[in-house]
Amino acid sequence: MTQPQAKFMLQTKPVRRAYRCSQRSLMLAVMVAALVLAPSFLGAYWTKVWISAVIYSLAASGVAVLYARLGLVSLAQVALVGVGGWVCLRMAHATGWPFELAMLVGGIVTAVIGIVMGLPALRVRGLYFALVTMMAAGGFTILVTVLQFPNGGLGFSGYAFDPQPMPRPLLAQSDEAMLRYAMIVTASGFLLIWLHQRTAPGRAWALIRRSEAVAMSAGVNVALYKIWGFGLAGFLAGISGSLLAATLGILDARSFPASESILLFALTVVGGIYSFAGQVLSGVLYRIVPALLDSCGLDGNLAFVVFGAALLHALVSAPRGIAGQIQDARERFMQRRPKT
């Protein structure tokens, strides 16, 4: 390293440290403001839309874990959201447990199914594994169309012709309270991912992403940590599905087609797979943009044109997504800002 390069590195270190500190402070301030103020200013319609966006931000974080940390493309995340919703509804109607227990069971069962779905990743990768997950998502669509979602009936499926909505959590009886509740659960899911990234699983995933041969030579149990990643992604999807079930009370099989999993993966790439802000943007793109087009009198399907152009842009010139571009712009601004 030459002397000018070393001098530049020394000058930019304080800038990067200050940037990281300001970024955390800004994110915390935005989260607190959104949690306290935002639900009070949204109308009834937009409150429901934002609840859905927050829930799918958590689901997108599971997609990001697999793609950013392990380099694996999963096209079944929305189907796993449906699995979590199915299990949560069944537990709530069959046992009458508090929602938090039913949600935890939904997350655990979905994590197990996610692990089973991820077993082919021990042998295949790339396009072949993506096709396997897409076929699994299609299989779930067919199965849940036959069984239907539980709605208070008897038997294994719990389906009845006189539906009974699942009761909401005690702390989230209104839509405003449900939005705050979903935001807290989603933030907890982000915290769980952050803890994984800072501990042994995160280090193992980084080595596996670089090279499985290097990871094995370093003593990493590649199979274990791959399965761990699928379990975490499935758990987050199951929690998302449970929140969706609590919000709507009744779920419909038509809400979880295989194509939605493909769309969620694409929007996760567009939003940014390497940061939680990117996953929040993914949820916003997934739910807010179509609703915004509808409110403007336009066809909501025009969102697919926007998403296609955004995905092309991300693949060609913005591999870190919109969140990465915003971060780069902010860093350049911090470096050019005159010192006081």
Side-chain angles (χ1 to χ4, degrees):
M1 183 181 296
T2 63
Q3 186 175 358
Q5 290 176 332
K7 184 177 179 180
F8 175 76
M9 291 296 293
L10 290 174
Q11 289 176 345
T12 55
K13 280 184 179 180
V15 173
R16 291 180 179 275
R17 193 179 302 114
Y19 166 72
R20 286 194 295 266
C21 182
S22 64
Q23 186 184 37
R24 295 191 186 101
S25 301
L26 179 61
M27 182 176 296
L28 180 61
V30 170
M31 288 177 60
V32 172
L35 183 64
V36 175
L37 300 176
S40 302
F41 291 95
L42 297 173
Y45 171 73
W46 284 107
T47 300
K48 290 182 173 64
V49 174
W50 273 102
I51 293 172
S52 181
V54 170
I55 291 172
Y56 276 101
S57 295
L58 182 59
S61 68
V63 176
V65 166
L66 294 176
Y67 189 53
R69 307 301 165 188
L70 289 168
L72 295 171
V73 176
S74 175
L75 300 179
Q77 193 72 354
V78 172
L80 291 176
V81 171
V83 171
W86 196 97
V87 174
C88 182
L89 285 169
R90 193 70 193 96
M91 295 303 298
H93 286 300
T95 65
W97 287 352
F99 169 74
E100 288 74 18
L101 282 178
M103 177 174 64
L104 183 61
V105 173
I108 293 173
V109 172
T110 310
V112 173
I113 294 177
I115 289 172
V116 173
M117 191 181 299
L119 289 177
L122 303 179
R123 294 293 182 183
V124 296
R125 296 188 63 179
L127 176 62
Y128 298 104
F129 177 73
L131 290 174
V132 168
T133 58
M134 187 171 64
M135 291 173 63
F140 169 78
T141 302
I142 296 172
L143 182 62
V144 79
T145 301
V146 174
L147 292 178
Q148 297 296 329
F149 279 92
N151 58 6
L154 301 176
F156 171 77
S157 66
Y159 179 75
F161 290 101
D162 52 340
Q164 301 176 12
M166 185 185 81
R168 282 190 174 183
L170 293 177
L171 299 176
Q173 294 297 307
S174 66
D175 286 341
E176 292 182 5
M178 190 66 216
L179 178 55
R180 293 189 177 96
Y181 190 93
M183 291 170 68
I184 292 173
V185 174
T186 299
S188 301
F190 288 169
L191 177 61
L192 180 63
I193 297 173
W194 182 83
L195 291 174
H196 275 77
Q197 293 174 356
R198 296 302 187 275
T199 52
R203 294 189 290 270
W205 292 338
L207 285 173
I208 294 171
R209 175 65 189 252
R210 181 178 295 272
S211 170
E212 290 188 16
V214 171
M216 286 187 289
S217 66
V220 174
N221 189 332
V222 174
L224 171 64
Y225 284 106
K226 274 189 174 182
I227 290 174
W228 194 324
F230 279 101
L232 178 59
F235 179 78
L236 296 171
I239 297 297
S240 302
S242 300
L243 288 172
L244 197 61
T247 302
L248 302 176
I250 296 175
L251 296 179
D252 189 271
R254 293 170 294 180
S255 301
F256 304 97
S259 58
E260 290 296 305
S261 294
I262 300 173
L263 178 60
L264 182 63
F265 173 80
L267 293 181
T268 303
V269 174
V270 171
I273 60 172
Y274 297 104
S275 67
F276 297 131
Q279 279 103 71
V280 172
L281 286 171
S282 302
V284 170
L285 291 171
Y286 187 65
R287 282 297 184 238
I288 302 298
V289 171
L292 189 61
L293 289 174
D294 286 335
S295 66
C296 293
L298 300 173
D299 188 349
N301 291 325
L302 289 175
F304 291 102
V305 178
V306 178
F307 296 158
L311 180 61
L312 182 62
H313 169 68
L315 294 175
V316 172
S317 59
R320 294 198 299 153
I322 298 173
Q325 288 185 306
I326 294 174
Q327 182 178 348
D328 291 342
R330 184 175 173 82
E331 283 187 352
R332 288 193 295 268
F333 173 78
M334 293 290 292
Q335 291 176 0
R336 294 175 182 176
R337 190 173 61 178
K339 297 181 179 180
T340 56

PDB file of all heavy atoms in Angstrom, residues 281-313:
ATOM      1  N   LEU A 281     -37.810  -2.278   2.486  1.00  0.00           N
ATOM      2  CA  LEU A 281     -38.165  -1.774   1.157  1.00  0.00           C
ATOM      3  C   LEU A 281     -38.835  -2.853   0.316  1.00  0.00           C
ATOM      4  O   LEU A 281     -39.739  -2.559  -0.476  1.00  0.00           O
ATOM      5  CB  LEU A 281     -36.914  -1.253   0.449  1.00  0.00           C
ATOM      6  CG  LEU A 281     -36.365   0.081   0.939  1.00  0.00           C
ATOM      7  CD1 LEU A 281     -35.002   0.363   0.302  1.00  0.00           C
ATOM      8  CD2 LEU A 281     -37.329   1.211   0.621  1.00  0.00           C
ATOM      9  N   SER A 282     -38.401  -4.092   0.482  1.00  0.00           N
ATOM     10  CA  SER A 282     -39.028  -5.194  -0.260  1.00  0.00           C
ATOM     11  C   SER A 282     -40.495  -5.326   0.113  1.00  0.00           C
ATOM     12  O   SER A 282     -41.361  -5.492  -0.763  1.00  0.00           O
ATOM     13  CB  SER A 282     -38.292  -6.505   0.038  1.00  0.00           C
ATOM     14  OG  SER A 282     -36.929  -6.416  -0.296  1.00  0.00           O
ATOM     15  N   GLY A 283     -40.793  -5.265   1.425  1.00  0.00           N
ATOM     16  CA  GLY A 283     -42.180  -5.323   1.850  1.00  0.00           C
ATOM     17  C   GLY A 283     -42.993  -4.149   1.335  1.00  0.00           C
ATOM     18  O   GLY A 283     -44.167  -4.307   0.948  1.00  0.00           O
ATOM     19  N   VAL A 284     -42.378  -2.970   1.304  1.00  0.00           N
ATOM     20  CA  VAL A 284     -43.061  -1.788   0.784  1.00  0.00           C
ATOM     21  C   VAL A 284     -43.366  -1.960  -0.701  1.00  0.00           C
ATOM     22  O   VAL A 284     -44.486  -1.677  -1.158  1.00  0.00           O
ATOM     23  CB  VAL A 284     -42.206  -0.529   1.026  1.00  0.00           C
ATOM     24  CG1 VAL A 284     -42.771   0.669   0.276  1.00  0.00           C
ATOM     25  CG2 VAL A 284     -42.124  -0.218   2.524  1.00  0.00           C
ATOM     26  N   LEU A 285     -42.395  -2.426  -1.460  1.00  0.00           N
ATOM     27  CA  LEU A 285     -42.621  -2.647  -2.885  1.00  0.00           C
ATOM     28  C   LEU A 285     -43.691  -3.707  -3.122  1.00  0.00           C
ATOM     29  O   LEU A 285     -44.532  -3.579  -4.014  1.00  0.00           O
ATOM     30  CB  LEU A 285     -41.315  -3.064  -3.564  1.00  0.00           C
ATOM     31  CG  LEU A 285     -40.211  -2.001  -3.669  1.00  0.00           C
ATOM     32  CD1 LEU A 285     -38.924  -2.638  -4.167  1.00  0.00           C
ATOM     33  CD2 LEU A 285     -40.633  -0.874  -4.602  1.00  0.00           C
ATOM     34  N   TYR A 286     -43.660  -4.741  -2.304  1.00  0.00           N
ATOM     35  CA  TYR A 286     -44.551  -5.884  -2.497  1.00  0.00           C
ATOM     36  C   TYR A 286     -46.007  -5.528  -2.236  1.00  0.00           C
ATOM     37  O   TYR A 286     -46.915  -6.025  -2.920  1.00  0.00           O
ATOM     38  CB  TYR A 286     -44.098  -7.017  -1.575  1.00  0.00           C
ATOM     39  CG  TYR A 286     -44.809  -8.330  -1.780  1.00  0.00           C
ATOM     40  CD1 TYR A 286     -44.684  -9.040  -2.973  1.00  0.00           C
ATOM     41  CD2 TYR A 286     -45.604  -8.875  -0.780  1.00  0.00           C
ATOM     42  CE1 TYR A 286     -45.332 -10.258  -3.158  1.00  0.00           C
ATOM     43  CE2 TYR A 286     -46.245 -10.088  -0.945  1.00  0.00           C
ATOM     44  CZ  TYR A 286     -46.106 -10.771  -2.134  1.00  0.00           C
ATOM     45  OH  TYR A 286     -46.747 -11.970  -2.314  1.00  0.00           O
ATOM     46  N   ARG A 287     -46.260  -4.676  -1.247  1.00  0.00           N
ATOM     47  CA  ARG A 287     -47.641  -4.387  -0.865  1.00  0.00           C
ATOM     48  C   ARG A 287     -48.056  -2.931  -1.081  1.00  0.00           C
ATOM     49  O   ARG A 287     -49.200  -2.663  -1.464  1.00  0.00           O
ATOM     50  CB  ARG A 287     -47.835  -4.751   0.610  1.00  0.00           C
ATOM     51  CG  ARG A 287     -48.009  -6.247   0.844  1.00  0.00           C
ATOM     52  CD  ARG A 287     -49.259  -6.723   0.147  1.00  0.00           C
ATOM     53  NE  ARG A 287     -49.549  -8.121   0.405  1.00  0.00           N
ATOM     54  CZ  ARG A 287     -49.668  -9.037  -0.539  1.00  0.00           C
ATOM     55  NH1 ARG A 287     -49.474  -8.714  -1.808  1.00  0.00           N
ATOM     56  NH2 ARG A 287     -49.991 -10.283  -0.235  1.00  0.00           N
ATOM     57  N   ILE A 288     -47.173  -1.982  -0.851  1.00  0.00           N
ATOM     58  CA  ILE A 288     -47.566  -0.568  -0.913  1.00  0.00           C
ATOM     59  C   ILE A 288     -47.714  -0.085  -2.350  1.00  0.00           C
ATOM     60  O   ILE A 288     -48.671   0.631  -2.680  1.00  0.00           O
ATOM     61  CB  ILE A 288     -46.558   0.315  -0.154  1.00  0.00           C
ATOM     62  CG1 ILE A 288     -46.445  -0.141   1.309  1.00  0.00           C
ATOM     63  CG2 ILE A 288     -46.963   1.775  -0.225  1.00  0.00           C
ATOM     64  CD1 ILE A 288     -47.729  -0.024   2.094  1.00  0.00           C
ATOM     65  N   VAL A 289     -46.784  -0.464  -3.221  1.00  0.00           N
ATOM     66  CA  VAL A 289     -46.811   0.043  -4.596  1.00  0.00           C
ATOM     67  C   VAL A 289     -48.088  -0.369  -5.332  1.00  0.00           C
ATOM     68  O   VAL A 289     -48.752   0.487  -5.948  1.00  0.00           O
ATOM     69  CB  VAL A 289     -45.550  -0.408  -5.363  1.00  0.00           C
ATOM     70  CG1 VAL A 289     -45.664  -0.073  -6.845  1.00  0.00           C
ATOM     71  CG2 VAL A 289     -44.311   0.256  -4.781  1.00  0.00           C
ATOM     72  N   PRO A 290     -48.516  -1.647  -5.311  1.00  0.00           N
ATOM     73  CA  PRO A 290     -49.792  -1.974  -5.977  1.00  0.00           C
ATOM     74  C   PRO A 290     -50.976  -1.223  -5.379  1.00  0.00           C
ATOM     75  O   PRO A 290     -51.866  -0.763  -6.118  1.00  0.00           O
ATOM     76  CB  PRO A 290     -49.920  -3.488  -5.755  1.00  0.00           C
ATOM     77  CG  PRO A 290     -48.531  -3.970  -5.558  1.00  0.00           C
ATOM     78  CD  PRO A 290     -47.837  -2.863  -4.824  1.00  0.00           C
ATOM     79  N   ALA A 291     -51.009  -1.077  -4.049  1.00  0.00           N
ATOM     80  CA  ALA A 291     -52.108  -0.337  -3.418  1.00  0.00           C
ATOM     81  C   ALA A 291     -52.079   1.129  -3.810  1.00  0.00           C
ATOM     82  O   ALA A 291     -53.135   1.760  -4.002  1.00  0.00           O
ATOM     83  CB  ALA A 291     -52.020  -0.485  -1.899  1.00  0.00           C
ATOM     84  N   LEU A 292     -50.883   1.697  -3.944  1.00  0.00           N
ATOM     85  CA  LEU A 292     -50.763   3.093  -4.345  1.00  0.00           C
ATOM     86  C   LEU A 292     -51.260   3.305  -5.772  1.00  0.00           C
ATOM     87  O   LEU A 292     -51.947   4.295  -6.065  1.00  0.00           O
ATOM     88  CB  LEU A 292     -49.302   3.532  -4.216  1.00  0.00           C
ATOM     89  CG  LEU A 292     -49.002   5.021  -4.387  1.00  0.00           C
ATOM     90  CD1 LEU A 292     -49.729   5.835  -3.319  1.00  0.00           C
ATOM     91  CD2 LEU A 292     -47.502   5.269  -4.321  1.00  0.00           C
ATOM     92  N   LEU A 293     -50.943   2.371  -6.658  1.00  0.00           N
ATOM     93  CA  LEU A 293     -51.425   2.470  -8.036  1.00  0.00           C
ATOM     94  C   LEU A 293     -52.949   2.365  -8.081  1.00  0.00           C
ATOM     95  O   LEU A 293     -53.614   3.106  -8.822  1.00  0.00           O
ATOM     96  CB  LEU A 293     -50.789   1.374  -8.887  1.00  0.00           C
ATOM     97  CG  LEU A 293     -49.294   1.530  -9.189  1.00  0.00           C
ATOM     98  CD1 LEU A 293     -48.762   0.301  -9.907  1.00  0.00           C
ATOM     99  CD2 LEU A 293     -49.041   2.779 -10.025  1.00  0.00           C
ATOM    100  N   ASP A 294     -53.500   1.450  -7.298  1.00  0.00           N
ATOM    101  CA  ASP A 294     -54.963   1.315  -7.254  1.00  0.00           C
ATOM    102  C   ASP A 294     -55.619   2.587  -6.735  1.00  0.00           C
ATOM    103  O   ASP A 294     -56.663   3.020  -7.256  1.00  0.00           O
ATOM    104  CB  ASP A 294     -55.352   0.137  -6.358  1.00  0.00           C
ATOM    105  CG  ASP A 294     -55.078  -1.203  -7.017  1.00  0.00           C
ATOM    106  OD1 ASP A 294     -55.048  -1.252  -8.258  1.00  0.00           O
ATOM    107  OD2 ASP A 294     -54.883  -2.198  -6.296  1.00  0.00           O
ATOM    108  N   SER A 295     -55.027   3.193  -5.710  1.00  0.00           N
ATOM    109  CA  SER A 295     -55.609   4.416  -5.147  1.00  0.00           C
ATOM    110  C   SER A 295     -55.538   5.590  -6.125  1.00  0.00           C
ATOM    111  O   SER A 295     -56.310   6.536  -6.015  1.00  0.00           O
ATOM    112  CB  SER A 295     -54.908   4.776  -3.840  1.00  0.00           C
ATOM    113  OG  SER A 295     -53.556   5.129  -4.080  1.00  0.00           O
ATOM    114  N   CYS A 296     -54.592   5.525  -7.069  1.00  0.00           N
ATOM    115  CA  CYS A 296     -54.466   6.581  -8.079  1.00  0.00           C
ATOM    116  C   CYS A 296     -55.342   6.320  -9.307  1.00  0.00           C
ATOM    117  O   CYS A 296     -55.259   7.049 -10.303  1.00  0.00           O
ATOM    118  CB  CYS A 296     -53.010   6.721  -8.512  1.00  0.00           C
ATOM    119  SG  CYS A 296     -51.914   7.331  -7.225  1.00  0.00           S
ATOM    120  N   GLY A 297     -56.142   5.260  -9.256  1.00  0.00           N
ATOM    121  CA  GLY A 297     -57.019   4.939 -10.374  1.00  0.00           C
ATOM    122  C   GLY A 297     -56.351   4.156 -11.478  1.00  0.00           C
ATOM    123  O   GLY A 297     -56.918   4.018 -12.570  1.00  0.00           O
ATOM    124  N   LEU A 298     -55.148   3.627 -11.224  1.00  0.00           N
ATOM    125  CA  LEU A 298     -54.433   2.836 -12.216  1.00  0.00           C
ATOM    126  C   LEU A 298     -54.572   1.352 -11.896  1.00  0.00           C
ATOM    127  O   LEU A 298     -54.893   0.970 -10.772  1.00  0.00           O
ATOM    128  CB  LEU A 298     -52.953   3.234 -12.247  1.00  0.00           C
ATOM    129  CG  LEU A 298     -52.659   4.693 -12.587  1.00  0.00           C
ATOM    130  CD1 LEU A 298     -51.172   4.972 -12.420  1.00  0.00           C
ATOM    131  CD2 LEU A 298     -53.107   5.021 -14.011  1.00  0.00           C
ATOM    132  N   ASP A 299     -54.298   0.532 -12.879  1.00  0.00           N
ATOM    133  CA  ASP A 299     -54.342  -0.910 -12.679  1.00  0.00           C
ATOM    134  C   ASP A 299     -53.163  -1.323 -11.804  1.00  0.00           C
ATOM    135  O   ASP A 299     -52.007  -1.028 -12.115  1.00  0.00           O
ATOM    136  CB  ASP A 299     -54.272  -1.627 -14.035  1.00  0.00           C
ATOM    137  CG  ASP A 299     -54.513  -3.127 -13.908  1.00  0.00           C
ATOM    138  OD1 ASP A 299     -54.528  -3.646 -12.773  1.00  0.00           O
ATOM    139  OD2 ASP A 299     -54.691  -3.784 -14.952  1.00  0.00           O
ATOM    140  N   GLY A 300     -53.455  -2.021 -10.713  1.00  0.00           N
ATOM    141  CA  GLY A 300     -52.389  -2.453  -9.810  1.00  0.00           C
ATOM    142  C   GLY A 300     -51.390  -3.376 -10.469  1.00  0.00           C
ATOM    143  O   GLY A 300     -50.243  -3.489 -10.012  1.00  0.00           O
ATOM    144  N   ASN A 301     -51.803  -4.060 -11.563  1.00  0.00           N
ATOM    145  CA  ASN A 301     -50.887  -4.962 -12.254  1.00  0.00           C
ATOM    146  C   ASN A 301     -49.742  -4.216 -12.952  1.00  0.00           C
ATOM    147  O   ASN A 301     -48.759  -4.837 -13.364  1.00  0.00           O
ATOM    148  CB  ASN A 301     -51.648  -5.797 -13.282  1.00  0.00           C
ATOM    149  CG  ASN A 301     -52.578  -6.804 -12.622  1.00  0.00           C
ATOM    150  OD1 ASN A 301     -52.256  -7.353 -11.570  1.00  0.00           O
ATOM    151  ND2 ASN A 301     -53.740  -7.034 -13.222  1.00  0.00           N
ATOM    152  N   LEU A 302     -49.900  -2.886 -13.113  1.00  0.00           N
ATOM    153  CA  LEU A 302     -48.787  -2.103 -13.657  1.00  0.00           C
ATOM    154  C   LEU A 302     -47.555  -2.178 -12.757  1.00  0.00           C
ATOM    155  O   LEU A 302     -46.438  -1.897 -13.205  1.00  0.00           O
ATOM    156  CB  LEU A 302     -49.213  -0.642 -13.828  1.00  0.00           C
ATOM    157  CG  LEU A 302     -50.207  -0.338 -14.951  1.00  0.00           C
ATOM    158  CD1 LEU A 302     -50.620   1.122 -14.903  1.00  0.00           C
ATOM    159  CD2 LEU A 302     -49.599  -0.678 -16.307  1.00  0.00           C
ATOM    160  N   ALA A 303     -47.762  -2.571 -11.516  1.00  0.00           N
ATOM    161  CA  ALA A 303     -46.630  -2.720 -10.603  1.00  0.00           C
ATOM    162  C   ALA A 303     -45.637  -3.750 -11.119  1.00  0.00           C
ATOM    163  O   ALA A 303     -44.426  -3.630 -10.885  1.00  0.00           O
ATOM    164  CB  ALA A 303     -47.129  -3.116  -9.216  1.00  0.00           C
ATOM    165  N   PHE A 304     -46.124  -4.764 -11.849  1.00  0.00           N
ATOM    166  CA  PHE A 304     -45.218  -5.780 -12.380  1.00  0.00           C
ATOM    167  C   PHE A 304     -44.256  -5.180 -13.396  1.00  0.00           C
ATOM    168  O   PHE A 304     -43.100  -5.619 -13.499  1.00  0.00           O
ATOM    169  CB  PHE A 304     -46.015  -6.926 -13.005  1.00  0.00           C
ATOM    170  CG  PHE A 304     -46.767  -7.750 -12.008  1.00  0.00           C
ATOM    171  CD1 PHE A 304     -48.125  -7.587 -11.840  1.00  0.00           C
ATOM    172  CD2 PHE A 304     -46.107  -8.679 -11.210  1.00  0.00           C
ATOM    173  CE1 PHE A 304     -48.823  -8.342 -10.916  1.00  0.00           C
ATOM    174  CE2 PHE A 304     -46.792  -9.441 -10.278  1.00  0.00           C
ATOM    175  CZ  PHE A 304     -48.148  -9.272 -10.123  1.00  0.00           C
ATOM    176  N   VAL A 305     -44.701  -4.190 -14.145  1.00  0.00           N
ATOM    177  CA  VAL A 305     -43.811  -3.510 -15.081  1.00  0.00           C
ATOM    178  C   VAL A 305     -42.729  -2.752 -14.314  1.00  0.00           C
ATOM    179  O   VAL A 305     -41.543  -2.802 -14.659  1.00  0.00           O
ATOM    180  CB  VAL A 305     -44.612  -2.544 -15.975  1.00  0.00           C
ATOM    181  CG1 VAL A 305     -43.686  -1.798 -16.922  1.00  0.00           C
ATOM    182  CG2 VAL A 305     -45.694  -3.291 -16.747  1.00  0.00           C
ATOM    183  N   VAL A 306     -43.142  -2.059 -13.259  1.00  0.00           N
ATOM    184  CA  VAL A 306     -42.180  -1.337 -12.421  1.00  0.00           C
ATOM    185  C   VAL A 306     -41.199  -2.309 -11.790  1.00  0.00           C
ATOM    186  O   VAL A 306     -39.983  -2.069 -11.767  1.00  0.00           O
ATOM    187  CB  VAL A 306     -42.928  -0.527 -11.339  1.00  0.00           C
ATOM    188  CG1 VAL A 306     -41.945   0.192 -10.428  1.00  0.00           C
ATOM    189  CG2 VAL A 306     -43.885   0.470 -11.986  1.00  0.00           C
ATOM    190  N   PHE A 307     -41.713  -3.436 -11.276  1.00  0.00           N
ATOM    191  CA  PHE A 307     -40.846  -4.412 -10.620  1.00  0.00           C
ATOM    192  C   PHE A 307     -39.852  -5.022 -11.611  1.00  0.00           C
ATOM    193  O   PHE A 307     -38.692  -5.264 -11.281  1.00  0.00           O
ATOM    194  CB  PHE A 307     -41.688  -5.516  -9.996  1.00  0.00           C
ATOM    195  CG  PHE A 307     -42.601  -5.041  -8.888  1.00  0.00           C
ATOM    196  CD1 PHE A 307     -43.732  -5.779  -8.537  1.00  0.00           C
ATOM    197  CD2 PHE A 307     -42.341  -3.864  -8.211  1.00  0.00           C
ATOM    198  CE1 PHE A 307     -44.566  -5.342  -7.524  1.00  0.00           C
ATOM    199  CE2 PHE A 307     -43.180  -3.406  -7.203  1.00  0.00           C
ATOM    200  CZ  PHE A 307     -44.294  -4.154  -6.856  1.00  0.00           C
ATOM    201  N   GLY A 308     -40.308  -5.275 -12.829  1.00  0.00           N
ATOM    202  CA  GLY A 308     -39.409  -5.844 -13.830  1.00  0.00           C
ATOM    203  C   GLY A 308     -38.269  -4.905 -14.170  1.00  0.00           C
ATOM    204  O   GLY A 308     -37.107  -5.317 -14.251  1.00  0.00           O
ATOM    205  N   ALA A 309     -38.594  -3.622 -14.360  1.00  0.00           N
ATOM    206  CA  ALA A 309     -37.546  -2.642 -14.644  1.00  0.00           C
ATOM    207  C   ALA A 309     -36.602  -2.484 -13.461  1.00  0.00           C
ATOM    208  O   ALA A 309     -35.375  -2.376 -13.632  1.00  0.00           O
ATOM    209  CB  ALA A 309     -38.189  -1.294 -14.985  1.00  0.00           C
ATOM    210  N   ALA A 310     -37.151  -2.501 -12.250  1.00  0.00           N
ATOM    211  CA  ALA A 310     -36.307  -2.370 -11.055  1.00  0.00           C
ATOM    212  C   ALA A 310     -35.390  -3.572 -10.895  1.00  0.00           C
ATOM    213  O   ALA A 310     -34.224  -3.432 -10.510  1.00  0.00           O
ATOM    214  CB  ALA A 310     -37.190  -2.202  -9.820  1.00  0.00           C
ATOM    215  N   LEU A 311     -35.892  -4.770 -11.191  1.00  0.00           N
ATOM    216  CA  LEU A 311     -35.058  -5.969 -11.091  1.00  0.00           C
ATOM    217  C   LEU A 311     -33.938  -5.937 -12.117  1.00  0.00           C
ATOM    218  O   LEU A 311     -32.784  -6.289 -11.812  1.00  0.00           O
ATOM    219  CB  LEU A 311     -35.919  -7.216 -11.279  1.00  0.00           C
ATOM    220  CG  LEU A 311     -35.181  -8.557 -11.208  1.00  0.00           C
ATOM    221  CD1 LEU A 311     -34.523  -8.738  -9.843  1.00  0.00           C
ATOM    222  CD2 LEU A 311     -36.134  -9.721 -11.493  1.00  0.00           C
ATOM    223  N   LEU A 312     -34.238  -5.518 -13.329  1.00  0.00           N
ATOM    224  CA  LEU A 312     -33.205  -5.404 -14.361  1.00  0.00           C
ATOM    225  C   LEU A 312     -32.137  -4.413 -13.933  1.00  0.00           C
ATOM    226  O   LEU A 312     -30.930  -4.664 -14.091  1.00  0.00           O
ATOM    227  CB  LEU A 312     -33.841  -4.982 -15.685  1.00  0.00           C
ATOM    228  CG  LEU A 312     -32.901  -4.852 -16.880  1.00  0.00           C
ATOM    229  CD1 LEU A 312     -32.257  -6.188 -17.202  1.00  0.00           C
ATOM    230  CD2 LEU A 312     -33.658  -4.322 -18.097  1.00  0.00           C
ATOM    231  N   HIS A 313     -32.564  -3.282 -13.376  1.00  0.00           N
ATOM    232  CA  HIS A 313     -31.607  -2.285 -12.886  1.00  0.00           C
ATOM    233  C   HIS A 313     -30.737  -2.854 -11.776  1.00  0.00           C
ATOM    234  O   HIS A 313     -29.520  -2.638 -11.746  1.00  0.00           O
ATOM    235  CB  HIS A 313     -32.366  -1.061 -12.392  1.00  0.00           C
ATOM    236  CG  HIS A 313     -31.525  -0.087 -11.641  1.00  0.00           C
ATOM    237  ND1 HIS A 313     -30.525   0.662 -12.237  1.00  0.00           N
ATOM    238  CD2 HIS A 313     -31.513   0.256 -10.310  1.00  0.00           C
ATOM    239  CE1 HIS A 313     -29.938   1.430 -11.323  1.00  0.00           C
ATOM    240  NE2 HIS A 313     -30.512   1.195 -10.154  1.00  0.00           N
TER     241      HIS A 313
END
